[in-house]
Amino acid sequence: MAEISAVKEAWEIRQRFKPEIWFLAPGAKHYENRYYANHHHSFVNISVTGEACACRCDHCNGKLLQSMVGTPTPLEMRRVVDQLLDKDCRGILVSGGANSQGEVPLLAFMDSIAYASQKGLKVLVHSGIISRETALGLKAAGVDQVLLDVIGDQDTIHQVYHLNQRPEDYLRAMLFCREADLNIAPHVVIGLHYGQIRGEMKALEMIREAWPETIVLVILTPSCGTAMEGLQPPNLADVGEVIAKARLTNPNIPITLGCARPSGQYKRQVEILAVDCGVNGMAYPDEETVIYAQGKGLQTRFTEECCSLIARNA
């Protein structure tokens, strides 16, 4: 496991926050146990590119887009928003496939995004490497939060994401969002370089420069039919080291363990480790994790919002 002293220090830092942990279960994925059951349309993922993506990353190859509601035109997005409102939807995550520069093409959808916000939906946007123009447009559209994957290793950017970008481009994207006064929740994929720890620590250092509202940590979970299918997940000790580092380097920022992580016993072990390392929230926890958190003196709270939205509660 992660170095005991680092985990202990991370837990001590966690005491600066309220003695509670938020468990998130947005409706994009069914979640039901003796503690909580979510609703299918409470929070919905939308793709502005349908299933199209120029990057075809080695761990995804566009497979994640297949689980989203496709809205390839602004008019279609408005139509879907109206349908979701009729189903008592509370929020949407607007995402899509990236272009050759690593950015989700959002500019044509600004009016439709603003429409969703004006109708009372909580609107999150997963943007990719964002431009200043897009950041300003999203601010004007009234989005509640921007989610960005942050990669700290250039070889990973080239080999996994198939982009000719640098780690500094991800930092610049975060800073564009801050200049626009956007709420941001950067994501770090632990083990993204084929299960190895390569740029995660640098990514956390870059994130600290942007002072985000929330940091989301996820773990490499390759989709079936991709170049990484069957790959072993990153070593638990390495994962613990990254989670503890996130807590130690960002002592005043809420941290969540996001949706993506391998299933089974690995999932349960990494969730317990994340609690020990002081995360403030976690998506779709196992029942054993809920019990464990309660045993550590944490009050457990459930919500159907996206896991990046816990900052106001931490």
Side-chain angles (χ1 to χ4, degrees):
M1 286 299 168
E3 187 177 339
I4 295 176
S5 60
V7 173
K8 182 179 179 181
E9 186 178 355
W11 176 254
E12 290 174 351
I13 288 175
R14 201 248 187 266
Q15 307 313 304
R16 302 180 186 183
F17 296 89
K18 297 176 184 177
E20 60 187 21
I21 185 167
W22 283 87
F23 292 132
L24 303 310
K29 174 182 176 181
H30 179 67
Y31 180 82
E32 183 175 358
N33 57 34
R34 59 175 162 154
Y35 292 103
Y36 195 79
N38 66 1
H39 301 85
H40 179 57
H41 293 291
S42 60
F43 211 99
V44 175
N45 297 339
I46 288 175
S47 170
V48 300
T49 64
E51 297 183 13
C53 178
C55 291
R56 295 291 167 178
C57 304
D58 279 6
H59 64 304
C60 172
N61 194 30
K63 301 292 184 180
L64 293 177
L65 299 174
Q66 297 174 7
S67 64
M68 300 181 184
V69 178
T71 61
T73 68
L75 183 62
E76 179 68 7
M77 180 182 286
R78 287 194 180 218
R79 188 183 69 81
V80 167
V81 165
D82 288 336
Q83 290 176 343
L84 292 175
L85 288 167
D86 290 339
K87 297 175 181 178
D88 296 322
C89 180
R90 303 172 193 174
I92 57 175
L93 171 63
V94 180
S95 186
N99 59 25
S100 60
Q101 300 303 309
E103 181 174 6
V104 176
L106 295 166
L107 285 173
F109 293 84
M110 291 301 175
D111 287 345
S112 298
I113 292 171
Y115 176 77
S117 179
Q118 292 159 7
K119 286 292 186 176
L121 289 178
K122 195 171 292 294
V123 181
L124 278 60
V125 173
H126 200 168
S127 64
I129 298 179
I130 197 168
S131 67
R132 179 181 277 114
E133 182 184 9
T134 300
L136 291 171
L138 292 175
K139 179 63 178 179
V143 302
D144 293 277
Q145 192 175 66
V146 175
L147 286 55
L148 311 91
D149 292 342
V150 179
I151 307 175
D153 179 75
Q154 191 155 341
D155 287 342
T156 304
I157 297 169
H158 291 174
Q159 296 173 28
V160 177
Y161 273 44
H162 309 146
L163 293 172
N164 292 319
Q165 307 290 1
R166 302 170 301 163
E168 292 75 17
D169 295 313
Y170 291 88
L171 174 57
R172 185 179 299 110
M174 288 189 286
L175 296 179
F176 284 156
C177 290
R178 300 313 279 167
E179 289 174 10
D181 195 29
L182 286 165
N183 179 314
I184 65 171
H187 286 45
V188 177
V189 183
I190 302 174
L192 180 59
H193 196 93
Y194 307 95
Q196 304 171 35
I197 305 300
R198 294 282 291 267
E200 288 83 346
M201 300 307 185
K202 181 173 181 179
L204 291 171
E205 293 292 342
M206 292 193 297
I207 287 169
R208 183 168 61 173
E209 294 186 45
W211 288 98
E213 277 69 25
T214 308
I215 298 170
V216 180
L217 304 175
V218 296
I219 301 171
L220 178 69
T221 311
S223 299
C224 295
T226 66
M228 291 193 193
E229 181 179 359
L231 192 74
Q232 289 297 308
N235 181 275
L236 279 170
D238 294 336
V239 172
E241 185 178 354
V242 175
I243 299 174
K245 175 74 170 181
R247 177 79 288 158
L248 296 175
T249 56
N250 298 276
N252 300 310
I253 297 174
I255 297 171
T256 67
L257 184 65
C259 306
R261 53 187 177 276
S263 60
Q265 185 62 24
Y266 185 97
K267 175 182 183 294
R268 291 187 285 272
Q269 289 177 319
V270 82
E271 289 178 1
I272 297 300
L273 182 57
V275 172
D276 286 341
C277 288
V279 299
N280 304 89
M282 184 181 301
Y284 307 114
D286 189 86
E287 282 192 27
E288 293 180 14
T289 306
V290 179
I291 296 170
Y292 184 78
Q294 292 171 343
K296 287 187 71 86
L298 296 173
Q299 299 174 22
T300 53
R301 314 289 195 195
F302 280 86
T303 178
E304 294 184 39
E305 291 188 333
C306 182
C307 67
S308 62
L309 290 171
I310 67 163
R312 65 187 183 279
N313 299 317

